[in-house]
Amino acid sequence: MDPSPFILCSTARLAQSLKLAHAREHAHQHPQQSEQPGAVWQPLQVHTLQQWLDSLIEQALLCGAIPVELAPRGVLDPLQERILWEQAIAEALQQETLGALFDQAGMATAAIEANRLQLEWNIVLGDAEQTEETRQFLRWREFFRQRCKQSGWLEPARHLDWQIAHLPAATAFIPQEIHLAGFDRVSPQQRRLFDALTAAGAVLHTWSTGLEAAAASAQVHYDDAESECRAAVAWARAQLDRDPSAKLAIVVPELAKHRSRIAALLDDTLHPHTLHPAHAQSPRNYDFSLGVPLAEYPLVRTALALLRLSAQRHQCPQQDLSWLLRDGYWSSDQEADARARLDARMRSKLPASIQVEQLLRLAQKAQLNGWPLARLVADLTALLALTAAWPRRQTASAWAGSFSELLMNLQWPGARSLSSHEHQTQQKWQDQLAAFSRLDGLLGPMDAGRAVSLLARICRDTIFQPEADIEPQVLVLGMMEASSAPLDALWVIGMNDHIWPPLPNPNALLPVSLQRAVRAPNADSAVQHEFASVIMQRLLHTAPVVTFSYAHKDGERELRPSPLLKDLAPLQATVEPA
């Protein structure tokens, strides 16, 4: 049996898609073998570049090829890196008279990007080019690196430099041939990594997921973005009506902005039965490459609301309690009717801001009058008992244990069986709770309000998309997402000149001239146009037929098409918005 190719991908989603596509192809080509008990076949060797590199270096460390004392004690995850930068900036601003007025979270975001750009793109900061903003950034970076040095930590960008430097010691574990997939833009740091792999004897290839010939393409315009989205969804429905087995994609440059709109249209058009609450969790034959913040999922929203209630139980807005009484992800859903009646009584009898004890007494009085609220009364009693036993301050890991115990005693996430998506959401919540518990060394003891606020922020910053229950026929992708295999047809919306190519957005903490000199991402219009052209060519080789659309107006503002569409033939709008 020939060994399967070894593939390194730019994203985890592309790696997963390639594995699934390979498994489907094998099952189609060898249906009898797939059905045989104990049948063995070789899956595709697919990894993300960073995952494989971490595994490679770990293997070299375990066998002694790289001395353990040379390895960093730890690598900061994104959350730890952000908190450490915020602390460094806060420490540096202590000397500033108006330091408390600065947006330290926003400055930390810019500093993280500046630090990453400098390392990935070899931006050398000479004295002559330094602006006041750059000098401030260098002060923050000094505080940041001092903390990292004291604890033996490295941020991901510097850790990659360390791994590249020690790659020659791991030569024995590097495959002879490596295929690279989805790398539309290669930074100098990645180029150094690829050169090191080549020097170690590996032969690098580009793994193509597209078609050899460019697609038959055309452009079409609509009145506004709403009409565009409706037309794209109507097109997908028409394509599936003609060929129920078709594989399609709708590509959206501003996917985060239009995601909820497109999801609602796809449900209305392809799955109208899901509008009924009983079918809300039914599988869909579409899937998004971009999720939403974890905090927006109902199951997690309930968990955070319960924790906020526990942390501020002496002063709770009535509207928050009202929402929890009507929510089904905690306590007993068998008491839903009685809880709704209790909600109405609470709003008529109690003030706008109340204590949990007041709600408990109201529930107990209603229970004495025959209302079935035994479970709710028991859960509110447990909440008060547990929170009364909480220490005033404790570490993040201790709070993680307290929060888990509280949610378990409040019957979260409910008694009914969870759907696949809900189960994945619950698992992602557990992952973020574990990430929160790893902050002991950075934050030290804190009170309950601070702990809940930080956990909520982690969930807001975590973008999550559950895996589809069935193989989707319609993919909704961002412009940077690559399909694992050629599609039957593709529709790209939002091709206006202010959206694509993306507008330049150089980092404010680094000299713009230096960013332009190394052609860093977002440095100027020329860089953006070149990168957008690369993405455009990939899209044109993703399907035999590709349609690009743009809007004429955004409210009263006149819009223009992207300059990248100038060579495409116009197409009469044959698909009208639904």
Side-chain angles (χ1 to χ4, degrees):
M1 180 184 296
D2 294 333
S4 64
F6 185 86
I7 306 172
L8 298 179
C9 297
S10 58
T11 66
R13 184 178 181 86
L14 178 58
Q16 181 68 14
S17 298
L18 285 173
K19 289 179 183 177
L20 293 175
H22 178 71
R24 289 193 301 268
E25 182 180 359
H26 179 272
H28 178 72
Q29 293 179 353
H30 308 281
Q32 294 180 346
Q33 179 183 347
S34 301
E35 294 174 0
Q36 292 176 358
V40 177
W41 63 282
Q42 191 166 12
L44 203 61
Q45 301 183 72
V46 185
H47 311 271
T48 65
L49 176 61
Q50 192 58 58
Q51 286 173 343
W52 172 74
L53 190 59
D54 290 344
S55 175
L56 178 75
I57 296 299
E58 182 179 4
Q59 195 173 4
L61 285 166
L62 289 174
C63 71
I66 300 176
V68 176
E69 58 269 18
L70 297 180
R73 292 184 202 166
V75 181
L76 297 172
D77 62 30
L79 173 62
Q80 294 169 329
E81 183 180 13
R82 171 177 289 277
I83 290 175
L84 200 56
W85 272 105
E86 290 179 359
Q87 291 177 345
I89 292 171
E91 187 174 353
L93 291 178
Q94 284 180 353
Q95 304 170 8
E96 301 285 343
T97 305
L98 301 177
L101 301 180
F102 287 93
D103 176 16
Q104 295 181 12
M107 290 191 294
T109 300
I112 290 170
E113 183 193 41
N115 185 58
R116 179 180 54 78
L117 283 172
Q118 186 186 2
L119 292 167
E120 289 184 359
W121 292 84
N122 294 341
I123 298 177
V124 180
L125 298 173
D127 293 338
E129 296 89 354
Q130 289 184 17
T131 62
E132 179 58 32
E133 290 80 5
T134 304
R135 286 189 285 273
Q136 287 284 359
F137 162 66
L138 292 177
R139 286 183 62 225
W140 303 340
R141 193 184 68 177
E142 183 63 27
F143 283 103
F144 174 82
R145 290 192 174 177
Q146 284 177 0
R147 282 293 305 273
C148 287
K149 186 176 181 179
Q150 290 169 3
S151 302
W153 296 326
L154 287 178
E155 71 272 33
R158 277 199 297 157
H159 184 237
L160 181 55
D161 275 343
W162 181 87
Q163 289 177 315
I164 294 172
H166 290 83
L167 200 60
T171 300
F173 310 108
I174 298 175
Q176 293 183 346
E177 292 197 12
I178 298 175
H179 298 261
L180 304 175
F183 291 90
D184 294 315
R185 173 188 274 155
V186 177
S187 69
Q189 188 183 45
Q190 288 176 327
R191 178 53 57 198
R192 292 200 307 274
L193 171 59
F194 296 154
D195 289 344
L197 291 174
T198 301
V203 179
L204 304 186
H205 307 277
T206 298
W207 183 269
S208 176
T209 59
L211 303 169
E212 292 187 9
S217 57
Q219 58 173 302
V220 60
H221 58 80
Y222 291 92
D223 290 339
D224 51 30
E226 176 72 22
S227 299
E228 257 194 293
C229 292
R230 289 183 175 275
V233 171
W235 163 83
R237 174 60 185 266
Q239 293 284 328
L240 292 175
D241 286 344
R242 283 196 294 270
D243 180 6
S245 63
K247 293 282 291 183
L248 312 170
I250 300 172
V251 179
V252 190
E254 296 182 312
L255 182 53
K257 177 179 178 180
H258 297 294
R259 187 188 189 283
S260 59
R261 173 188 292 169
I262 294 175
L265 290 172
L266 286 168
D267 276 347
D268 288 346
T269 306
L270 302 181
H271 303 284
H273 66 283
T274 58
L275 297 177
H276 192 284
H279 302 290
Q281 297 291 334
S282 298
R284 271 73 161 171
N285 68 344
Y286 66 84
D287 193 26
F288 284 83
S289 65
L290 178 70
V292 298
L294 182 63
E296 294 184 11
Y297 285 88
L299 186 145
V300 174
R301 191 165 64 238
T302 300
L304 291 173
L306 289 170
L307 295 181
R308 278 192 292 267
L309 175 65
S310 305
Q312 59 182 24
R313 60 188 179 88
H314 298 297
Q315 196 71 18
C316 306
Q318 192 183 102
Q319 61 185 13
D320 292 350
L321 288 169
S322 177
W323 178 79
L324 277 172
L325 285 174
R326 291 178 280 113
D327 185 77
Y329 281 110
W330 73 290
S331 198
S332 172
D333 55 3
Q334 301 298 318
E335 300 177 354
D337 290 343
R339 281 162 57 175
R341 292 169 62 194
L342 181 67
D343 172 36
R345 176 168 290 187
M346 176 189 70
R347 285 186 278 113
S348 65
K349 298 288 187 182
L350 299 181
S353 182
I354 62 176
Q355 299 177 2
V356 175
E357 289 87 348
Q358 291 176 279
L359 177 61
L360 175 58
R361 286 195 294 270
L362 191 68
Q364 288 171 332
K365 185 180 294 185
Q367 186 185 16
L368 291 175
N369 292 331
W371 294 19
L373 290 170
R375 186 69 262 169
L376 178 65
V377 168
D379 290 341
L380 290 176
T381 302
L383 183 149
L384 292 172
L386 288 169
T387 54
W390 282 353
R392 184 172 174 273
R393 296 169 64 84
Q394 58 181 347
T395 61
S397 59
W399 279 122
S402 297
F403 293 162
S404 295
E405 180 187 18
L406 178 73
L407 292 174
M408 181 182 66
N409 278 275
L410 296 182
Q411 321 305 316
W412 179 88
R416 67 173 178 81
S417 299
L418 298 180
S419 68
S420 172
H421 282 192
E422 289 171 329
H423 180 74
Q424 293 179 58
T425 304
Q426 183 186 22
Q427 184 58 54
K428 192 66 176 180
W429 161 266
Q430 298 295 344
D431 293 343
Q432 300 317 302
L433 201 59
F436 170 73
S437 69
R438 293 193 292 269
L439 298 178
D440 290 358
L442 287 174
L443 297 176
M446 69 188 91
D447 60 30
R450 166 69 171 150
V452 173
S453 176
L454 182 57
L455 183 57
R457 175 183 164 186
I458 293 171
C459 292
R460 287 194 301 271
D461 292 343
T462 301
I463 303 301
F464 174 61
Q465 174 68 24
E467 293 182 8
D469 297 323
I470 60 175
E471 182 184 348
Q473 290 182 265
V474 181
L475 303 174
V476 186
L477 308 172
M479 291 293 273
M480 308 306 173
E481 295 287 343
S483 174
S484 61
L487 303 167
D488 294 305
L490 189 74
W491 184 301
V492 187
I493 74 171
M495 294 295 287
N496 288 96
D497 65 346
H498 68 289
I499 297 175
W500 198 257
L503 297 176
N505 185 27
N507 187 281
L509 300 179
L510 298 175
V512 175
S513 60
L514 296 183
Q515 295 180 64
R516 289 173 178 164
V518 300
R519 304 189 66 76
N522 301 308
D524 58 21
S525 298
V527 169
Q528 299 297 76
H529 189 278
E530 179 183 341
F531 181 60
S533 298
V534 171
I535 300 298
M536 185 91 163
Q537 287 303 309
R538 171 164 58 74
L539 293 174
L540 288 172
H541 288 79
T542 299
V545 179
V546 180
T547 302
F548 297 90
S549 66
Y550 61 94
H552 269 316
K553 286 188 176 182
D554 179 12
E556 297 299 319
R557 181 165 63 121
E558 294 285 341
L559 302 179
R560 296 175 298 185
S562 167
L564 296 176
L565 300 183
K566 60 181 174 56
D567 295 329
L568 300 185
L571 175 69
Q572 186 65 31
T574 55
V575 179
E576 293 300 326

